[in-house]
Amino acid sequence: MEFSIKSAAPEKLRTDCLLVGIYEGKKLTDLAKALDAVSDKAISAALKSGDMEGKAGSSLMLRQVAGVTASRVLLVGLGKADEANLKSLRNSVRAAVKALPAGVENIATDFAGLSIKKTTVQQKAAAVAEVVLDAIYKVNAVKAKSIEPHPLKQVVLLADKADAAAAEAGVQQGQGLGLGVALAKDLGNLPPNICTPSYLGKQAEKLAKEYGFKVEVLEQAAIEKLNMGSFLGVTRGSEEPPRFIVLQHLQGKKSQKPVVLVGKGITFDTGGISLKPGADMDEMKYDMCGAASVLGVFKAIGELKLPLNVVGLIPTCENMPSGRATKPGDILTSMSGQTIEVLNTDAEGRLILCDALTYAERFEPSAVIDIATLTGACVIALGHHVSGLFANNDDLAKALLAAGEQANDRAWQMPLWDDYQGQLDSNFADMANIGGRAAGSITAACFLSRFAKKYDWAHLDIAGTAWKSGKEKGGTGRPVPLLVTYLLEQAAK
Ligand code: BES
Ligand code: MN
Ligand code: ZN
């Protein structure tokens, strides 16, 4: 996708389709007024006919508008003018792109110049670019006939000369983020016989080559040497070898402590010996979406050349039953030395993450954020709209909540109080890996907190937000927008 900024007269633009906003109540935007003036009121006439009110999500295609060079003019409903915000802009862009007929390869619009309170041109341009990329995304389906990419190839953003630089910066940002989101979706959507731990390792190496990251992909023997007994307990039942991926984007000052991102990379979760029920088990291919989001963030910050030090850690393996698999009752010794009684082999995410959290200590991080499709209980608590957030530091939690708000990728903070820790007591080891049915996502976070005592830490449970089920089944790329927005904020400090 090619984005460009132009300050040309809109009626003279050569484009397949000009997107023109209309506010609710048939209220014309500046661009609509300009076109109305040169076209002998073609726009007002279309509105008068009653075909379009300007309601959010609506659109009306006009062809051969007199005095306008563009082949088509798509009137796009923006909703109420006095309620316009970044979210309504995003929704309008999405509705407009979805309404484009197949013949449209390039479009132009003034959407980055619409007036929205307390919002910069850069933010608006970034939102437009990001949403366009999100809306044209197509699943990399494995079919005999390869799938045609979306026909849209070029987007021109109309901006005043004075705003051109800000719009350009916004487009760069939105595009970098959009590419990261697309990578996270792609990896999540791949079938689990292709997207294996070694495949994720290769993807990390490919990214490192492309953007100059430092990369190490540790194999079984190196993982054994690190004494990651908890992680190794999960991979035991699988024929597919595990990997531990370490990616480093070192574009900050040498003295600057890094942000460490840790992504759960279970490429398929059968539950292990505590086998899951059969219905919808295919969706457990998405159990590596935490890992995918870390790789997506690296793609975005590589594109953006973000001046910050960021480390990505990905423990990745399958969770399978077999004659060698870890059994309920087995006790594992984690890299930290703490022992864990495995009461349920389906609570495997925390078992691979805890060793990665211990490994993170060596980077003397400014903050560690883990991202994981960790608990079904989180879906019950929060549904599919927001990710669950837990943190041992309130400033870090606040910064992440604010980033989610800004990125339209929200999280909601849940408690991490000591009251819940007792649910993890074990008669035979330092702790059990499950805490019973009550507060399942909180006790999972409590388990992780025991391995994150040496630094500021946050945990994002993305079980409800990382992918969609049903007819629209597919990865969402979340929480890449939240994380990239947080990192941009850190770099600006
Ligand atoms: N990957 C699952 C969590 C999950 C389930 C995410 C469904 C999204 C949808 C995780 O490994 C798991 O199985 N968790 C168990 C924990 C339980 C055994 C304490 C769960 O949530 O049931
Ligand atoms: Mn599981
Ligand atoms: Zn899992």
Side-chain angles (χ1 to χ4, degrees):
M1 182 68 51
E2 192 190 310
F3 291 91
S4 56
I5 317 292
K6 275 193 188 156
S7 321
E11 70 275 12
K12 298 219 174 89
L13 268 179
R14 245 170 236 296
T15 176
D16 291 343
C17 187
L18 200 49
L19 310 188
V20 180
I22 306 290
Y23 290 112
E24 201 165 314
K26 307 184 184 181
K27 213 178 133 214
L28 303 191
T29 54
D30 290 346
L31 176 57
K33 282 181 197 157
L35 295 184
D36 209 34
V38 300
S39 66
D40 199 15
K41 304 220 175 292
I43 307 238
S44 320
L47 295 176
K48 235 181 224 152
S49 71
D51 292 357
M52 165 90 169
E53 286 289 331
K55 286 219 163 70
S58 67
S59 63
L60 175 66
M61 185 66 91
L62 307 179
R63 294 170 164 280
Q64 291 160 337
V65 177
V68 176
T69 309
S71 324
R72 307 172 184 80
V73 171
L74 183 67
L75 302 184
V76 181
L78 300 177
K80 296 201 172 86
D82 52 355
E83 287 173 14
N85 57 26
L86 265 181
K87 191 161 188 160
S88 66
L89 174 63
R90 286 170 180 280
N91 290 338
S92 303
V93 174
R94 190 178 304 280
V97 173
K98 296 279 180 205
L100 293 175
V104 173
E105 293 186 359
N106 51 71
I107 59 175
T109 180
D110 73 333
F111 279 7
L114 293 175
S115 85
I116 298 179
K117 279 181 209 135
K118 290 190 220 151
T119 308
T120 63
V121 171
Q122 180 170 341
Q123 285 173 317
K124 288 181 279 188
V128 172
E130 185 201 339
V131 175
V132 167
L133 290 177
D134 197 60
I136 64 159
Y137 176 83
K138 284 204 186 178
V139 170
N140 46 351
V142 186
K143 301 205 191 209
K145 262 195 167 167
S146 61
I147 297 230
E148 292 284 320
H150 194 283
L152 188 64
K153 289 185 184 62
Q154 264 184 337
V155 179
V156 172
L157 294 186
L158 296 164
D160 293 341
K161 275 234 161 65
D163 290 336
E168 180 61 45
V171 161
Q172 292 296 336
Q173 189 183 316
Q175 202 171 8
L177 176 50
L179 291 174
V181 167
L183 175 62
K185 287 185 196 176
D186 276 343
L187 292 172
N189 289 332
L190 281 172
N193 59 333
I194 292 179
C195 188
T196 58
S198 39
Y199 182 90
L200 288 178
K202 290 207 184 87
Q203 291 302 305
E205 281 164 351
K206 205 173 127 196
L207 280 175
K209 211 166 170 193
E210 204 171 337
Y211 297 104
F213 307 139
K214 208 171 141 188
V215 67
E216 290 162 277
V217 179
L218 308 185
E219 305 194 350
Q220 173 96 20
I223 299 167
E224 281 168 8
K225 231 178 175 169
L226 285 166
N227 293 316
M228 292 185 165
S230 186
F231 176 24
L232 289 164
V234 177
T235 189
R236 262 186 81 80
S238 171
E239 301 283 332
E240 228 15 274
R243 292 287 186 266
F244 189 85
I245 302 168
V246 185
L247 264 176
Q248 300 191 55
H249 167 90
L250 303 173
Q251 298 287 327
K253 287 204 192 96
K254 254 214 163 116
S255 59
Q256 181 194 69
K257 293 179 167 185
V259 175
V260 178
L261 304 177
V262 180
K264 172 178 172 182
I266 295 290
T267 60
F268 197 79
D269 183 10
T270 64
I273 295 297
S274 313
L275 195 64
K276 285 182 180 296
D280 299 325
M281 206 207 270
D282 67 289
E283 295 192 7
M284 281 299 113
K285 72 174 184 177
Y286 288 110
D287 212 18
M288 37 57 72
C289 280
S293 75
V294 172
L295 295 174
V297 167
F298 269 75
K299 171 106 194 160
I301 64 177
E303 284 282 329
L304 298 174
K305 303 193 173 69
L306 194 73
L308 199 69
N309 295 331
V310 185
V311 176
L313 302 179
I314 298 176
T316 172
C317 67
E318 290 182 340
N319 186 23
M320 299 289 283
S322 89
R324 278 167 39 95
T326 291
K327 306 167 289 298
D330 283 358
I331 293 181
L332 306 174
T333 302
S334 68
M335 185 180 176
S336 73
Q338 299 177 90
T339 59
I340 304 159
E341 184 186 14
V342 179
L343 292 179
N344 189 320
T345 63
D346 197 11
E348 85 298 339
R350 61 198 80 181
L351 296 177
I352 71 170
L353 291 168
C354 69
D355 282 340
L357 289 172
T358 301
Y359 188 89
E361 289 172 7
R362 69 185 56 199
F363 298 101
E364 295 177 29
S366 64
V368 177
I369 305 163
D370 79 69
I371 307 105
T373 48
L374 202 63
T375 63
C378 191
V379 190
I380 303 303
L382 297 174
H384 301 283
H385 300 289
V386 299
S387 305
L389 171 69
F390 302 81
N392 65 9
N393 176 291
D394 264 335
D395 290 333
L396 177 58
K398 279 197 190 111
L400 289 167
L401 290 171
E405 199 73 52
Q406 203 190 317
N408 195 36
D409 181 13
R410 288 194 291 188
W412 184 256
Q413 191 174 1
M414 311 256 280
L416 192 66
W417 293 315
D418 278 344
D419 309 53
Y420 296 90
Q421 290 282 0
Q423 287 178 239
L424 296 171
D425 286 351
S426 159
N427 285 351
F428 306 103
D430 291 324
M431 70 194 86
N433 77 326
I434 55 168
R437 268 171 59 81
S441 46
I442 301 176
T443 52
C446 283
F447 179 95
L448 295 177
S449 74
R450 297 175 177 216
F451 301 84
K453 292 209 162 127
K454 299 206 172 131
Y455 42 69
D456 293 345
W457 160 78
H459 156 61
L460 284 164
D461 193 330
I462 58 167
T465 51
W467 77 93
K468 288 183 181 164
S469 308
K471 230 177 126 64
E472 279 186 83
K473 193 187 285 185
T476 60
R478 294 177 70 181
V480 174
L482 180 159
L483 293 167
V484 172
T485 304
Y486 167 77
L487 294 174
L488 280 166
E489 202 63 41
Q490 295 311 110
K493 267 193 191 163

